[in-house]
Amino acid sequence: MAYPEAPATLPDRFRGRPALDPARCPEGCRDCVEACPTDALKVDAEGLGLDLGRCLFCQACTLACPEGAITPGTEHRLAARKREDLVLRGSALARVQALDHKMLKLFKRSLKLRQVSCGGCNACEADVNVLGTVVFDLGRFGIQYVASPRHADGLLITGPVTENMKLALRKTYDAVPAPRIVIAVGACAISGGPYAGHPEAHEGASSVVPVDLFIPGCPPHPYTILDGLLGLLDRLGPERIP
Amino acid sequence: MTEALLALPNGAAVSQNAVPELTLDALREAIETASARGRRVSALFGAPRGERLALYVVLADDAAGLLECGSATLDGDEFPSMTPSCPEVQLFEREVAEQWGVVPRGHPWFKPVRFHRSYRAPRDAWGRAPEDPLTVGVMDFFRVDGEEVHEVAVGPVHAGVIEPGHFRFQCHGEHVMHLEVSLGYQHRGVERSLLGGPGKRTIHYMETLAGDTTVGHATAYCQLREALGASGASARACALRGVALELERLANHTGDLGALAGDVGFLPTASYCGRLRGDFLNMTAVLCGSRFGRGLLRPGGVAFDLEPERAAELRKRLDRAARDVTEAVKLLWDAPSVMARLEDTGRLDAATAAALGLVGPASRACGLRRDVRKTHPAGIYRLVHLPISTADSGDVFARAYVRWLEIERSIEYLRAQLGELPRGPTARECPAPRGGHLAVALVEGWRGELCHVALTDEAGRFSTYKVVDPSFHNWPGLALAMRGQQLSDFPLCNKSFNLSYCGQDL
C-alpha cells in the first residue's frame, strides 16, 4: 500500500473520531455522559469534552444524544504525544508531534520495539502484529518488533497493566537501554479501558512507566497505529486534521 | 442418577427453583460418572448460597443434544476432589478454590489459577494470610530431578507479539519430559465485575473476554440475555450473527495456518495467510465497521444490517479470498518439508483428549465429535447444519487439517447464507432478565466451546456470571502434547493449539 502518501482505505462503517458540536447541547443535559461505559465524556465549565483515551468508539453517546451534538466520524488519525491532548473539545485535534531533534537522529530511520502485552483482550496485539504483514510492511519504515528488550529502542505496551503484569513490565522497561521510547496502544493501555477502576488492573501504561505516545482505539485500526508511529518519527506532513 | 439432574437445551433459562439441589455425594457421583455416561463437563463453578457455598455443574450430553444441570451445597470449607476420577474438572476445582477459599481435598495438582485473593477473603484455599504476598507465577512447579536434567523457564514476556504466560519445561537435552503452564498474568477481574449487571460495561466485557473471539463471546452473552428475558432474536439477526461468527472462524483459522507455516519456515503460506486473515477481518468491518466485530451484537439482535449491495460486496470479497486461501493452503500439503514437520509432532490420543475434556478443533483433530454448532445448535445453526470436521492423528498436522476443512465449510456456509438472508427486523427490544433464574448458552467459537452461565437475584441482576473459554479446557492438552517432544517444537505445538491467555485469565 502507498500509505501515508495515499489515503487510508477504510470501510464506510468505520468508527473513528466523533465530531462534537457543544453548541447543540441543551442546558443541563447529561445523556451522553450517562450512556458512556468508560466515563470518556464530561460536561464542565468548558462545555462538552470527549477523552479519546477512554473512548471505546462504541457509539453509545451518539445514540443517546437527542440533539446530534455528538456524531459519528471516520477520522482514523487519533494519536497524541500528551495525555491531555486526547481530550476532544470539538475543535481539530493536533497532529502527533515528532520526537525532538536528538531522538529523531537516533530513531527516525530505525526504531526497534519490544511489545509488552499487559492484560487486555489481545485485539490490540493482533492489529499491532498485522502491521508486520506484507500488507502494511512496517519494515519499509525501519520499524521492527524485536524479541528482546535489550535489542529494543522502546516498548509498545497494550493492556491496562494488570497487577499481575506490573513487575514484568517494570523489569522489561528497565532492560531497554536509554534513551527509550514508550508507546501506549489502545484504550486499556491509555486509561484502563473497560477495566478502569478494577482493583486487579491499573489505569494503563503511564501508571507504571512514562509514556511518549498514546494511540487511542478499542482496538485502534492498524492505520491509526501506523499514523501514530510515523508521526512520532516525523515521517508525515505537518498538515492538521480537518 | 442422571434423573436427578435437570435436562435443558442450549440457550434455555429456568427458574432456580427448578435446578435440583442434590446432596454433595450425588453431585459428585453425577460428575465422576459423567464420562462413562457419555457426558462431559461444560462448567463447574461456585456460587454463594446464604452463608455457604453451592457447587453448580453443567454437563453436556452431545448425543442427546441436551445439557444437564444441578447443584449441591457445601458443608464447610472443603469437599472431596473429583479430579482423581474425573481429570477434566481439575482446573475447575482449582478455580472454585481460588475464588471462594474452599479446598478440594485430595486434589493431585492443587495450585492457583489466576493468582488473586478469594472473593471471600480472608478465606484462602492455600491458607495464605491477607498480609502475605501473593505473587503471580510463584508456586510449586513439578520438577524432574536427575543428572543432566535441566529446567527451561519462559515468559511471562515472550519474544513475539503475544500475550503473557509462564511455561516451565523439564528437559533432558532437547527432550521434553514435562511442561507446566502457569497463567494469570492477564487477570483483570472480569467475572467479579460482571456481578450486579447487566450494566453499561457488560457488553464491552463480553467483547473483550478474548478479543479474537469477540463475536463468539458476544453471541453467547446475547443468547443468554435473550433466554433470561424470555425473548429471542429475529431470524435475520441470528443469520447475521452466524455470518459474523463464521467470518471470525475464517480469519483466525487462516491466521493460524499462516502462523504454523511461519513456524516451520515456510514463508509463502505464512505471507499469503497473513494478508488473507486481514481480508476476512476487513469483511467483518464491512458489516459493522470493526475488524473484530465490536459493536455488532447487542441483546435483542444486531446493530447493523446487511443490505443487498453490502451482501453482494461481501460475496465478491469472499470469492476472491476463498480462491486465494485455497491456493495458499494447498502449498502446505504439497510440500514434503512442511508435512515432515507437522506429521507426528505433538500427538495427543483420543482417550487423553476426552479425559482432559478438550473442545474445539483440538478435540476434533483427535477424532472427537465435539462441535456445538452440530450437537447443541442455537440460533441460525438450528436451521442450517454444518458437518463436524474431524481428523484422527491428533498431531499438529491434524490440528492444521481440521482448520482447513472448517475453512472450506465456513466458506460454503457463507456463500449460501449471503445469498438468502431471512427478511425481518435486525433487532428488537430485549427485556430485562427475570429474577431468580439460571440460564446457559453454548457457542462454538473458532477455538471451541464457549460456555456462559448466569444466575440472577430476585431483582434480575447477575449474582453469578461464569465464563468458560475453550482455552480453559485446552491448555492441559498442550502440556500433554509436549511430552516426549523436542523443546524446539514448542512454538509449533503451541501455535497448533493457539490458546487464549486472556480468555483463561479473565
Side-chain angles (χ1 to χ4, degrees):
Chain A
M1 69 179 56
Y3 193 85
E5 286 75 26
T9 44
L10 291 159
D12 61 330
R13 283 175 173 168
F14 174 74
R15 294 185 290 283
R17 177 171 57 101
L20 305 191
D21 185 0
R24 286 170 175 262
C25 290
E27 185 70 29
C29 176
R30 295 179 53 82
D31 287 359
C32 60
V33 176
E34 276 154 27
C36 179
T38 53
D39 301 321
L41 283 147
K42 59 181 175 185
V43 180
D44 56 15
E46 289 178 65
L48 181 63
L50 169 61
D51 182 354
L52 293 175
R54 289 177 169 271
C55 184
L56 305 181
F57 299 82
C58 71
Q59 291 199 317
C61 55
T62 54
L63 294 171
C65 180
E67 301 294 333
I70 311 180
T71 45
T74 55
E75 176 56 57
H76 72 279
R77 293 171 291 183
L78 307 168
R81 293 291 307 279
K82 292 204 289 274
R83 181 69 185 84
E84 57 270 26
D85 286 348
L86 292 176
V87 180
L88 190 64
R89 289 285 182 181
S91 55
L93 204 62
R95 297 295 286 127
V96 180
Q97 213 187 354
L99 291 167
D100 65 34
H101 182 70
K102 187 175 148 237
M103 293 286 268
L104 275 181
K105 220 173 154 199
L106 284 168
F107 300 133
K108 183 168 183 174
R109 284 173 188 80
S110 169
L111 180 67
K112 309 291 174 194
L113 296 171
R114 172 84 281 260
Q115 203 274 328
V116 191
S117 171
C118 300
C121 76
N122 199 32
C124 286
E125 288 83 342
D127 269 351
V128 164
N129 232 341
V130 94
L131 292 179
T133 64
V134 288
V135 180
F136 289 90
D137 191 15
L138 197 58
R140 71 195 152 116
F141 303 106
I143 308 171
Q144 197 186 356
Y145 308 125
V146 292
S148 166
R150 296 282 189 212
H151 305 157
D153 304 312
L155 299 181
L156 189 155
I157 299 169
T158 52
V161 186
T162 54
E163 176 58 24
N164 286 350
M165 269 307 286
K166 189 178 176 183
L167 178 64
L169 173 60
R170 185 77 230 177
K171 284 184 171 180
T172 310
Y173 176 80
D174 288 341
V176 179
R180 58 202 154 195
I181 290 168
V182 174
I183 300 164
V185 173
C188 286
I190 300 173
S191 67
Y195 316 114
H198 288 203
E200 297 88 348
H202 298 272
E203 314 266 299
S206 58
S207 50
V208 183
V209 293
V211 174
D212 302 289
L213 178 67
F214 299 91
I215 304 180
C218 185
H221 194 279
Y223 279 120
T224 304
I225 305 172
L226 186 54
D227 166 73
L229 294 175
L230 295 181
L232 185 74
L233 298 180
D234 196 24
R235 301 187 65 152
L236 296 168
E239 87 282 19
R240 292 178 74 79
I241 299 177
Chain B
M1 190 56 257
T2 22
E3 286 83 325
L5 297 174
L6 174 74
L8 70 169
N10 178 16
V14 293
S15 164
Q16 282 171 38
N17 296 329
V19 178
E21 196 181 331
L22 314 180
T23 63
L24 181 59
D25 284 345
L27 188 82
R28 283 179 51 215
E29 196 188 331
I31 294 170
E32 289 177 332
T33 60
S35 161
R37 293 183 292 117
R39 273 68 162 167
R40 58 189 175 81
V41 179
S42 282
L44 173 67
F45 57 95
R49 183 173 281 163
E51 291 295 298
R52 297 193 289 174
L53 186 75
L55 285 183
Y56 282 81
V57 70
V58 177
L59 301 178
D61 179 349
D62 292 336
L66 284 172
L67 305 172
E68 294 174 344
C69 185
S71 76
T73 310
L74 293 189
D75 238 348
D77 285 345
E78 57 173 42
F79 60 96
S81 170
M82 296 165 262
T83 299
S85 45
C86 181
E88 60 183 304
V89 300
Q90 68 92 12
L91 202 53
F92 286 107
E93 288 189 336
R94 288 161 58 188
E95 183 188 45
V96 169
E98 189 168 52
Q99 292 184 335
W100 301 102
V102 294
V103 178
R105 206 169 359 94
H107 193 295
W109 201 253
F110 192 47
K111 310 171 187 208
V113 181
R114 304 184 177 108
F115 299 87
H116 62 79
R117 304 272 175 209
S118 105
Y119 296 167
R120 299 194 297 175
R123 267 184 243 222
D124 186 278
W126 290 272
R128 298 165 299 194
E131 62 276 10
D132 288 349
L134 195 164
T135 311
V136 62
V138 176
M139 61 175 204
D140 290 328
F141 286 89
F142 182 81
R143 282 193 68 145
V144 178
D145 285 323
E147 216 176 322
E148 296 183 352
V149 170
H150 63 104
E151 188 175 78
V152 176
V154 188
V157 179
H158 302 289
V161 182
I162 54 169
E163 298 180 79
H166 183 73
F167 302 101
R168 215 174 270 204
F169 302 86
Q170 308 298 317
C171 303
H172 183 252
E174 265 285 289
H175 181 87
V176 176
M177 290 177 281
H178 179 72
L179 159 64
E180 186 156 2
V181 180
S182 181
L183 304 178
Y185 298 90
Q186 299 277 63
H187 178 60
R188 52 214 187 278
V190 182
E191 274 190 353
R192 194 191 46 71
S193 301
L194 284 166
L195 301 183
K200 288 192 290 190
R201 283 194 193 179
T202 307
I203 188 69
H204 303 289
Y205 287 136
M206 299 299 164
E207 290 183 337
T208 58
L209 290 168
D212 50 29
T213 313
T214 295
V215 176
H217 276 298
T219 302
Y221 169 67
C222 289
Q223 285 176 0
L224 190 140
R225 274 291 306 278
E226 287 151 13
L228 285 171
S231 73
S234 70
R236 188 170 180 86
C238 287
L240 290 175
R241 287 175 181 176
V243 166
L245 190 66
E246 296 310 319
L247 283 174
E248 189 168 88
R249 194 179 323 277
L250 282 169
N252 283 293
H253 280 4
T254 303
D256 283 352
L257 291 177
L260 282 169
D263 275 344
V264 299
F266 191 66
L267 296 185
T269 304
S271 299
Y272 281 128
C273 286
R275 167 174 73 81
L276 288 161
R277 172 181 166 279
D279 289 350
F280 288 120
L281 292 176
N282 287 337
M283 289 170 65
T284 302
V286 166
L287 173 56
C288 70
S290 158
R291 286 154 56 85
F292 296 87
R294 298 284 157 88
L296 174 60
L297 281 90
R298 292 293 180 259
V302 290
F304 296 91
D305 200 3
L306 194 64
E307 310 86 335
E309 316 78 65
R310 213 175 274 276
E313 167 69 18
L314 281 191
R315 283 183 74 175
K316 203 170 81 193
R317 290 183 183 222
L318 181 68
D319 286 341
R320 213 161 42 212
R323 190 193 61 214
D324 290 356
V325 80
T326 305
E327 291 295 316
V329 174
K330 194 167 172 292
L331 295 175
L332 280 183
W333 319 135
D334 288 349
S337 62
V338 171
M339 293 299 284
R341 294 282 281 112
L342 304 188
E343 284 180 330
D344 218 22
T345 302
R347 191 185 279 274
L348 209 56
D349 62 66
T352 308
L356 293 176
L358 293 201
V359 294
S363 71
R364 298 193 280 277
C366 302
L368 302 184
R369 298 182 57 77
R370 294 181 174 181
D371 187 331
V372 171
R373 292 174 295 174
K374 180 78 175 172
T375 55
H376 303 271
I380 190 67
Y381 301 101
R382 288 203 180 115
L383 307 174
V384 188
H385 294 278
L386 276 113
I388 301 182
S389 304
T390 59
D392 53 18
S393 53
D395 50 7
V396 172
F397 166 73
R399 289 187 282 277
Y401 198 68
V402 164
R403 284 181 171 90
W404 166 240
L405 294 175
E406 294 184 9
I407 286 172
E408 286 185 297
R409 279 163 180 174
S410 292
I411 287 170
E412 220 171 281
Y413 171 87
L414 284 176
R415 279 206 178 109
Q417 285 286 302
L418 290 172
E420 50 178 41
L421 287 170
R423 285 179 225 282
T426 50
R428 49 171 83 125
E429 195 64 35
C430 183
R434 288 173 286 172
H437 272 64
L438 173 148
V440 191
L442 302 186
V443 168
E444 188 69 21
W446 65 273
R447 265 193 201 94
E449 174 180 290
L450 314 167
C451 176
H452 288 210
V453 190
L455 302 178
T456 55
D457 64 14
E458 284 313 308
R461 293 181 300 247
F462 297 138
S463 56
T464 294
Y465 198 105
K466 170 53 52 193
V467 174
V468 187
D469 189 83
S471 306
F472 198 79
H473 296 279
N474 285 5
W475 276 110
L478 170 64
L480 286 196
M482 271 310 291
R483 287 199 176 170
Q485 300 296 305
Q486 300 276 297
L487 183 59
S488 50
D489 274 341
F490 175 65
L492 188 59
C493 288
N494 190 24
K495 189 56 74 181
S496 74
F497 282 85
N498 193 12
L499 301 174
S500 173
Y501 302 67
C502 54
Q504 144 108 14
D505 288 346
L506 299 176

